[in-house]
Amino acid sequence: MRRILFTFTLLVAAVIANAQIVNPVNWSFSQKQISANEFELILTAEIENGWHLYSTDLPEGGPIKTSFNFENLENVELIGEVNASKESIETFDNSFQMNLRYFEGEVVFTQKVKVNGTGKVSGYLEFMSCNDETCTPPMDEEFSFELEGETAQVKETSTPEKAGSDRNYWSIFFIAFLGGMAALLTPCVFPMIPMTVSFFTKQSKTKAAGIRNGIWYGVSIIIIYVILGTVVTAVFGAESLNSLSTNPWFNLFFALLLFVFAFSFMGAFEIVLPSSWVNAVDKKADKGGLLGIFFMAFALALVSFSCTGPIVGALIVEAARSGGMAPVVGMLGFSSALAIPFALFAAFPGWLNSLPKSGGWLNSVKVVLGFLEFAFAFKFLSIADMVLDLRIIEREEFFAIWIAIFIGLALYLWGKIRLPHDSPMTHLPVSRFVLGTVVFAFVIYMIPGLWGAPVKLISGFPPPVDYAESPLGVGKSQPAGFVTDGHTTGTMALGIHTGPHGIPLFDDYDKALAYAKETGKPLLIDFTGKGCTNCRKMEDNVWVDQEVKNMFLEEYVIVSLYVDLREKLPEDEQFISETTGKKIRTVGNKWTDFQISRYNRNTQPYYVIVDHTEKELVDGYSYNSDPRSFADWLKTGVEAFKE
């Protein structure tokens, strides 16, 4: 009886231990013959609820994308690239400052091949998955196919319906709609509302006809701008724009474009289209009928281009960074905001009496928009600077520039600065005083960012805290024993380097353990990943806490082991894992196997505290964004080490 109970206890313990090794993506493979010598290789991923699998087209510098490596091709030729059965979901990740794509549920990848007689295909795929709290390390799955011409087995695979990127598209639509509302308040568009509506009400024989014509005018505006978004998508490709989002030259071009738009709005010059274009469209509009009304809307788009062009350009630039159909969705939102007032005022012309009169305030709207575009231009410049690692616009420089820009905007709103085309102002309107005060309060909020404050309200715009002249913050000294290399990073004896928020870290386990013994401190092992978004959240929200940071600096030696490093191990250091049975090819594979074999875990972030004999002092710590909880765990580790 005791033996049975003992065996049962071991089985329960094994189940509990193995439950900590997660594998949220289950792969299956099949093939389908589509002609005498062509096949479709089918690789199906079933993803657990709450988890997502990263897409195949992530930009550089982010998580590990799903990739397919066809290593051995015997009498087989690949046709085209791997295609997914549905569109990936897209979202902006504040940790990586980029748009990330991923799949949920089930997704089927297919690769067409051409076989000459009997053929074989083998290789492996690499993937990474995350949920809201943790990520798996890059994992690989081997596959093989045997293709035998017309005798090959045909296996059908159902194709899930497309999920789309609805969440991201709705946000783009909303932002573009706000941009259209701002364009309505510019001097090129606002005066056109009463003029155009009056034309429809006078030319239409009945009220119903006037309403119908006004609605068609609004619909025509939407059609024109949506066509513009469609052209942009067609020319650049639905996916290629997203891959360019971290391209330094693409971001540099966007920045220069926004500078031109900003200076135009501020009155340095006007961006106008050739008058011959406007005249040609005007002649078409004179023909009357629905076609004439359409060309009237086209004429509005051309005449108002000096005001709407910079806003449209900025919206397309931002939408283009999202890729997919985002430019089309953006133009739909922008044009809807422009079109709705024309249709409504045509239906209810009496509302025109409630509109404010045109005046100098319209030019002020343009100038304010110019300041905003000027500020956003530096966001694109900073991305190009970070990708090229030029360190011209580091975090401090970025904050200094934005503080200067918004001080200028506040002074403009208070009437202390006048720009070309501004009307004389005898008194300061209450609205400008209030708005100027809000802008100046925003300036005061940003100032601590120069000294290393997180400034979470604009998180995602400035460069990260470790891309700064002073990673620890202006005026703060480096950790004891730290030797700088003349720049923002530094090295210490035994391989310490500057980590997030200026915290000194090791990346070599043996060196870290030796240094922990030398200094008489416990060793904190940080299982992390370059592409682990939840790891970045812990660093941004927990490591930055002053109590946690002080304990890192004073009580612990820390080693960060990156499970997704792609650096190949020397041939004589590669091995087959005794735990998983998989080949350990890279440095990341090595640390993944270390985590699994020692601690029965394969997700990140995961923190372990050990003593000098490598004994685990307390239970490991997974994702929890509460700094107080993490600080208490660190204190428990110190107390256990001292016992």
Side-chain angles (χ1 to χ4, degrees):
M1 185 66 179
R2 290 181 179 178
R3 181 174 296 179
I4 294 174
L5 289 174
F6 179 71
T7 304
F8 178 75
T9 303
L10 288 179
L11 287 173
V12 171
V15 169
I16 294 174
N18 289 330
Q20 297 179 6
I21 304 297
V22 300
N23 185 20
V25 183
N26 183 38
W27 290 91
S28 60
F29 309 104
S30 61
Q31 60 200 42
K32 175 182 176 182
Q33 187 172 357
I34 55 180
S35 70
N37 61 347
E38 288 186 348
F39 289 81
E40 198 170 62
L41 308 182
I42 303 169
L43 308 97
T44 304
E46 295 182 1
I47 309 162
E48 290 185 8
N49 290 336
W51 289 80
H52 56 260
L53 170 72
Y54 284 111
S55 179
T56 58
D57 59 348
L58 297 184
E60 293 295 327
I64 300 298
K65 64 182 179 181
T66 301
S67 59
F68 300 87
N69 304 286
F70 297 92
E71 291 186 316
N72 300 311
L73 300 172
E74 297 181 16
N75 299 324
V76 172
E77 175 188 352
L78 300 178
I79 302 175
E81 298 179 348
V82 176
N83 294 313
S85 62
K86 61 183 181 181
E87 189 176 350
S88 55
I89 299 170
E90 182 173 349
T91 186
F92 182 79
D93 192 291
N94 282 322
S95 300
F96 290 105
Q97 295 303 299
M98 63 176 66
N99 292 303
L100 298 181
R101 296 174 179 272
Y102 57 84
F103 298 103
E104 293 180 341
E106 182 183 86
V107 58
V108 179
F109 298 95
T110 56
Q111 170 68 60
K112 288 185 178 180
V113 298
K114 184 176 182 180
V115 60
N116 182 17
T118 301
K120 292 183 179 180
V121 178
S122 63
Y124 68 96
L125 60 90
E126 191 172 21
F127 64 97
M128 181 177 176
S129 55
C130 291
N131 61 18
D132 291 338
E133 295 184 353
T134 189
C135 295
T136 65
M139 306 174 74
D140 57 65
E141 192 81 24
E142 295 185 353
F143 57 78
S144 63
F145 300 89
E146 294 187 5
L147 310 174
E148 300 179 4
E150 296 187 355
T151 63
Q153 185 179 3
V154 178
K155 297 183 180 180
E156 299 286 347
T157 302
S158 60
T159 302
E161 297 180 1
K162 288 196 173 186
S165 307
D166 294 341
R167 287 175 288 181
N168 194 54
Y169 287 161
W170 275 113
S171 63
I172 290 172
F173 179 89
F174 179 70
I175 293 171
F177 189 87
L178 293 179
M181 297 297 291
L184 275 173
L185 302 178
T186 59
C188 310
V189 180
F190 189 81
M192 298 293 291
I193 298 176
M195 292 171 55
T196 305
V197 173
S198 297
F199 171 81
F200 285 133
T201 54
K202 291 179 181 178
Q203 296 298 318
S204 303
K205 295 181 180 180
T206 63
K207 181 178 180 180
I211 294 174
R212 184 180 65 250
N213 292 338
I215 292 175
W216 172 243
Y217 184 75
V219 171
S220 298
I221 293 174
I222 294 175
I223 292 173
I224 290 166
Y225 282 101
V226 168
I227 289 175
L228 173 62
T230 304
V231 169
V232 170
T233 302
V235 170
F236 291 98
E239 302 300 329
S240 62
L241 285 168
N242 177 256
S243 63
L244 290 172
S245 63
T246 55
N247 183 291
W249 310 114
F250 205 51
N251 279 279
L252 184 61
F253 170 74
F254 283 169
L256 293 176
L257 198 62
L258 289 178
F259 280 130
V260 172
F261 292 158
F263 288 131
S264 173
F265 265 163
M266 290 179 178
F269 51 83
E270 283 197 4
I271 302 174
V272 294
L273 296 174
S275 58
S276 58
W277 294 12
V278 180
N279 294 333
V281 173
D282 275 339
K283 290 180 181 179
K284 297 287 185 180
D286 292 338
K287 293 183 178 180
L290 295 180
L291 185 61
I293 294 174
F294 177 83
F295 279 103
M296 281 184 62
F298 198 7
L300 171 69
L302 296 179
V303 170
S304 63
F305 184 79
S306 61
C307 291
T308 59
I311 300 176
V312 169
L315 289 173
I316 287 185
V317 163
E318 191 57 36
R321 289 169 54 83
S322 299
M325 298 298 292
V328 178
V329 175
M331 289 302 94
L332 177 63
F334 177 84
S335 57
S336 297
L338 279 183
I340 289 173
F342 286 98
L344 288 177
F345 283 116
F348 307 100
W351 290 3
L352 291 173
N353 297 326
S354 63
L355 285 178
K357 295 182 179 180
S358 300
W361 66 273
L362 292 175
N363 185 70
S364 299
V365 172
K366 280 183 62 178
V367 174
V368 170
L369 292 174
F371 272 101
L372 295 177
E373 294 209 348
F374 194 53
F376 286 132
F378 281 97
K379 167 60 180 172
F380 291 100
L381 271 185
S382 74
I383 293 175
D385 179 73
M386 283 190 291
V387 174
L388 295 174
D389 198 28
L390 299 176
R391 292 192 173 272
I392 297 174
I393 306 179
E394 295 180 303
R395 188 175 175 88
E396 292 90 346
E397 285 82 5
F398 185 92
F399 273 112
I401 292 169
W402 265 42
I403 288 169
I405 290 173
F406 283 96
I407 285 177
L409 176 56
L411 293 175
Y412 173 79
L413 290 169
W414 285 337
K416 303 300 182 181
I417 297 176
R418 285 187 59 189
L419 295 175
H421 311 305
D422 279 337
S423 301
M425 189 168 55
T426 57
H427 65 281
L428 180 65
V430 173
S431 58
R432 290 185 64 145
F433 172 77
V434 172
L435 185 57
T437 302
V438 171
V439 172
F440 193 71
F442 177 61
V443 169
I444 296 173
Y445 172 76
M446 287 192 293
I447 289 175
L450 293 169
W451 284 267
V455 195
K456 294 182 179 180
L457 189 62
I458 56 172
S459 175
F461 285 95
V465 291
D466 55 343
Y467 194 80
E469 292 182 9
S470 304
L472 289 174
V474 176
K476 296 181 181 179
S477 60
Q478 301 285 7
F482 193 86
V483 181
T484 64
D485 61 3
H487 209 278
T488 61
T489 60
T491 57
M492 285 181 70
L494 304 173
I496 293 181
H497 62 89
T498 303
H501 314 293
I503 296 171
L505 304 174
F506 283 90
D507 55 19
D508 184 282
Y509 179 78
D510 293 330
K511 292 180 179 179
L513 182 61
Y515 191 69
K517 294 177 180 178
E518 179 183 335
T519 56
K521 296 179 179 180
L523 178 63
L524 174 64
I525 307 173
D526 166 32
F527 289 103
T528 183
K530 298 287 186 181
C532 172
T533 184
N534 298 304
C535 302
R536 301 292 85 75
K537 290 178 183 177
M538 284 291 291
E539 293 164 3
D540 293 342
N541 299 315
V542 178
W543 289 30
V544 72
D545 179 79
Q546 196 58 52
E547 184 178 10
V548 171
K549 191 173 180 180
N550 288 341
M551 293 196 69
F552 276 172
L553 295 174
E554 299 169 6
E555 303 288 349
Y556 282 95
V557 172
I558 308 168
V559 58
S560 290
L561 304 181
Y562 289 89
V563 300
D564 56 1
L565 290 179
R566 312 297 289 275
E567 180 185 347
K568 290 282 186 181
L569 289 169
E571 288 290 337
D572 59 345
E573 294 183 20
Q574 296 183 17
F575 61 95
I576 302 298
S577 170
E578 295 181 1
T579 306
T580 64
K582 294 185 176 181
K583 186 173 183 179
I584 305 303
R585 300 182 177 91
T586 66
V587 174
N589 294 157
K590 173 184 174 182
W591 297 133
T592 299
D593 186 66
F594 179 75
Q595 182 185 8
I596 293 174
S597 60
R598 290 281 187 97
Y599 307 109
N600 271 319
R601 293 273 183 163
N602 70 332
T603 56
Q604 296 78 44
Y606 189 65
Y607 304 95
V608 178
I609 300 174
V610 299
D611 62 14
H612 300 158
T613 64
E614 302 182 73
K615 175 187 175 183
E616 190 173 1
L617 296 174
V618 293
D619 291 338
Y621 192 95
S622 299
Y623 177 85
N624 185 339
S625 59
D626 178 20
R628 173 61 58 188
S629 174
F630 191 71
D632 290 342
W633 179 76
L634 291 175
K635 292 176 183 177
T636 303
V638 172
E639 292 170 359
F641 177 75
K642 293 178 178 179
E643 289 179 357

